[in-house]
Amino acid sequence: MTQTTQTPKLTDFSTFNLHSALENALSKNGFETPTPVQQRTIPPSLEKQNLLVSAKTGSGKTLAFLLPTLHNLLINPNYYAGTRALVLVPTRELAQQIFLQCQKLLEGTSLKAGLITGGEDFKKQENLLRKSTAIVIATPGRVLELLTLDNQPFENLETLILDEADRMLDMGFSDDVLTIAKHCNENRQTLLFSATLTHAGVLKMADKVLKKYELIALNTLRDELPHIEQQIVLADDNSHKQKILAWLLQHETFEKALVFSNSRAQADALCDPIRATGVRAIVLHGDMDQKERQRVMKLYRDGVVNVLIATDLAARGLDIKGIQLVINFEVPRNGINYIHRIGRTGRSDETGLTITLVKHTEWNLMAGIERFLRQSFIRRNIKELAGKFQGPKKLKASGKTVGGKKKAETKKEKPEKVKVRHRDKKNIGKRRAPSAKTTAAD
Ligand code: ADP
Ligand code: MG
């Protein structure tokens, strides 16, 4: 594994000399300047190098892999090769989103993109693989099912892309991804994208699937998120939280808001009370069938409803314009989930506000996340809804003030969710060394 440090000075997409169809699509869609991850990733990717890329959510990773991959397909037409590029992603919604972006980029060309996800017609997808669909965007489960049909749709594959690899690992797709990778042409290029390198498993997967690769690390989880203001509001219990939530939805200004809960049942339970306050809210979680999920996403995307109540399923990858407010009804289970949730706001360089509601049993979890991220959340008091809980009793003032409020020192607090805090804590300050098995690329 090698790690590049220099950032080439590429200020315009035209410096990449991309296929004219791509250049046209970029200018038609108003993309002029490549983002840092695009600047760093596109040149080596055009050279067919294997890459492990970590860059924060919203940094433009999709174009970073679509542009070089599509360019290489376009400059070397081969209509008989079957599927030449495969993009694996964790959720159907994300697959759909990338598929649409792909179609936009391929406008006016004869290259075909295809979508393979669960919940859609199996036969149609089988045919799609037979019909020389040059680039396929898919979730791992369904691809695996199609592979059992005893054909080798990926024997000519030129590029395999694993997007949101950390999330795929979280969702238990690790084995599926490895199996699919084994069915792909051995001489392919592989690109692995992740929001973080600190996730246990990402480097391991890179070793197995990429073997020799170059590491491009732009951001890690501990990077500050200056364009997203992060607040916490203390609450006594869930019914107090509901009042705070209703108040926030009524008093904050936003185009769209996203409310996260840790469980499906809680997400469902929040919907009616929020609606009763006159807010246009809807629920999204994994219990829903595919049709229902699509309907919900469309209503939210189109702005028919402007508050989406979701479980972590919606936390990754989705890129919806205008989400200016993210509320964590419950403290997320770990720092990684926290980052992914808040990454739904402040897309590109917009500003965003995130508010986490914290009751006393969640204080330590919240403090653990603060330490993991090496940042302090701004404590906000809502006068109208002041509660009894004001932080742990043995709280010592650290002397520092955050947003005008004293920041709590939490060192002596007993952890309640030891497992989660340990998982978060053990990565602090550590840079994961590449495994001994990793072969140097040069
Ligand atoms: P990531 O996958 O890193 O989370 P996305 O690829 O979803 O990020 O991109 C986030 C947003 O930034 C999208 O709305 C995308 O259209 C926009 N974007 C990507 N690249 C550029 C660019 N070069 N210039 C302007 N906007 C961009
Ligand atoms: Mg992405």
Side-chain angles (χ1 to χ4, degrees):
M1 180 182 69
T2 55
Q3 183 164 353
T4 51
T5 45
Q6 79 276 36
T7 305
K9 288 204 168 32
L10 298 168
T11 50
D12 196 299
F13 276 113
S14 64
T15 32
F16 298 128
N17 288 320
L18 294 170
H19 188 277
S20 59
L22 300 175
E23 285 198 337
N24 292 341
L26 285 171
S27 62
K28 200 171 150 192
N29 289 288
F31 295 121
E32 286 169 8
T33 315
T35 64
V37 69
Q38 292 159 5
Q39 292 184 22
R40 295 276 300 277
T41 308
I42 293 173
S45 180
L46 286 169
E47 301 290 321
K48 303 265 182 114
Q49 289 199 40
N50 286 351
L51 302 175
L52 165 58
V53 183
S54 78
K56 71 178 182 201
T57 321
S59 55
K61 294 191 284 297
T62 318
L63 283 179
F65 62 74
L66 281 184
L67 289 172
T69 303
L70 296 178
H71 171 87
N72 282 335
L73 298 181
L74 285 164
I75 58 162
N76 255 323
N78 183 350
Y79 300 105
Y80 306 102
T83 301
R84 300 173 62 197
L86 173 65
V87 185
L88 291 179
V89 301
T91 65
R92 299 165 187 180
E93 284 79 7
L94 183 56
Q96 178 92 30
Q97 191 174 294
I98 295 172
F99 173 67
L100 293 176
Q101 208 163 344
C102 212
Q103 281 190 319
K104 270 191 196 163
L105 291 170
L106 290 176
E107 231 175 65
T109 75
S110 56
L111 270 193
K112 293 260 170 310
L115 184 64
I116 292 188
T117 63
E120 308 281 351
D121 187 65
F122 191 85
K123 265 267 165 282
K124 245 204 242 151
Q125 298 185 343
E126 194 194 340
N127 286 338
L128 189 144
L129 284 182
R130 286 216 187 99
K131 270 198 211 145
S132 291
T133 310
I135 175 163
V136 168
I137 297 105
T139 47
R142 178 54 65 89
V143 172
L144 208 62
E145 281 178 66
L146 288 165
L147 284 177
T148 60
L149 297 178
D150 206 32
N151 47 15
Q152 291 298 327
F154 307 126
E155 60 187 354
N156 294 323
L157 200 80
E158 291 160 45
T159 306
L160 170 66
I161 296 154
L162 310 179
D163 189 24
E164 307 254 353
D166 46 350
R167 181 61 174 156
M168 288 205 276
L169 291 164
D170 280 347
M171 291 176 69
F173 287 139
S174 177
D175 289 345
D176 292 2
V177 170
L178 293 177
T179 310
I180 294 166
K182 276 193 199 121
H183 280 81
C184 296
N185 174 10
E186 237 183 288
N187 301 318
R188 67 178 190 268
Q189 170 192 34
T190 308
L191 307 174
L192 191 154
F193 286 80
S194 172
T196 168
L197 289 179
T198 56
H199 185 291
V202 167
L203 289 173
K204 231 192 248 168
M205 174 167 278
D207 282 342
K208 285 186 186 151
V209 182
L210 289 91
K211 298 184 184 90
K212 292 181 186 177
Y213 62 91
E214 187 185 324
L215 170 68
I216 299 178
L218 273 115
N219 296 290
T220 71
L221 274 180
R222 283 184 295 278
D223 277 342
E224 298 271 330
L225 297 164
H227 55 300
I228 302 177
E229 172 150 339
Q230 299 172 64
Q231 302 178 347
I232 57 166
V233 176
L234 299 186
D236 294 339
D237 49 32
N238 277 9
S239 82
H240 188 207
K241 279 191 177 184
Q242 272 191 26
K243 287 184 193 126
I244 296 171
L245 175 62
W247 190 93
L248 289 169
L249 291 175
Q250 249 141 28
H251 289 81
E252 286 295 332
T253 356
F254 56 84
E255 196 182 319
K256 289 191 173 87
L258 187 49
V259 178
F260 280 107
S261 86
N262 289 358
S263 69
R264 295 167 182 183
Q266 181 66 69
D268 279 332
L270 285 177
C271 194
D272 283 344
I274 291 178
R275 280 186 181 158
T277 65
V279 170
R280 288 172 290 132
I282 201 159
V283 178
L284 177 77
H285 58 57
D287 266 351
M288 298 169 155
D289 68 26
Q290 176 62 3
K291 244 189 167 165
E292 185 64 10
R293 280 197 211 172
Q294 271 176 355
R295 190 184 71 88
V296 166
M297 288 315 297
K298 186 163 184 348
L299 289 173
Y300 188 54
R301 218 181 274 275
D302 294 349
V304 179
V305 293
N306 65 346
V307 175
L308 183 71
I309 307 163
T311 53
D312 283 294
L313 167 86
R316 299 229 181 177
L318 285 188
D319 176 34
I320 292 181
K321 287 217 166 64
I323 300 182
Q324 286 149 350
L325 175 64
V326 170
I327 299 177
N328 292 315
F329 186 78
E330 288 150 313
V331 176
R333 295 190 177 101
N334 57 52
I336 291 166
N337 279 356
Y338 178 85
I339 277 284
H340 280 284
R341 286 183 182 189
I342 69 169
R344 298 307 103 210
T345 181
R347 303 295 277 168
S348 296
D349 269 329
E350 291 172 23
T351 54
L353 171 63
T354 73
I355 305 168
T356 303
L357 310 188
V358 184
K359 59 183 179 182
H360 73 283
T361 50
E362 295 172 306
W363 177 272
N364 288 309
L365 185 56
M366 189 276 303
I369 292 175
E370 275 190 320
R371 280 195 297 275
F372 174 59
L373 302 173
R374 297 195 173 168
Q375 61 184 29
S376 310
F377 302 139
I378 296 168
R379 172 106 163 252
R380 172 167 170 188
N381 290 313
I382 299 172
K383 265 193 300 208
E384 294 87 332
L385 289 168
K388 290 189 205 93
F389 176 54
Q390 291 299 319
K393 284 202 187 90
K394 282 190 219 156
L395 185 150
K396 279 188 186 170
S398 68
K400 267 194 235 158
T401 56
V402 179
K405 306 281 178 290
K406 285 220 162 107
K407 186 190 169 289
E409 189 184 56
T410 51
K411 240 188 192 161
K412 288 185 181 157
E413 287 302 308
K414 258 193 179 169
E416 275 146 19
K417 303 209 171 181
V418 179
K419 236 170 116 186
V420 173
R421 288 190 51 203
H422 269 225
R423 191 197 299 155
D424 283 354
K425 268 174 71 180
K426 72 179 176 196
N427 291 320
I428 293 176
K430 263 195 208 169
R431 187 162 227 178
R432 301 253 329 226
S435 117
K437 274 184 241 147
T438 307
T439 329
D442 50 1

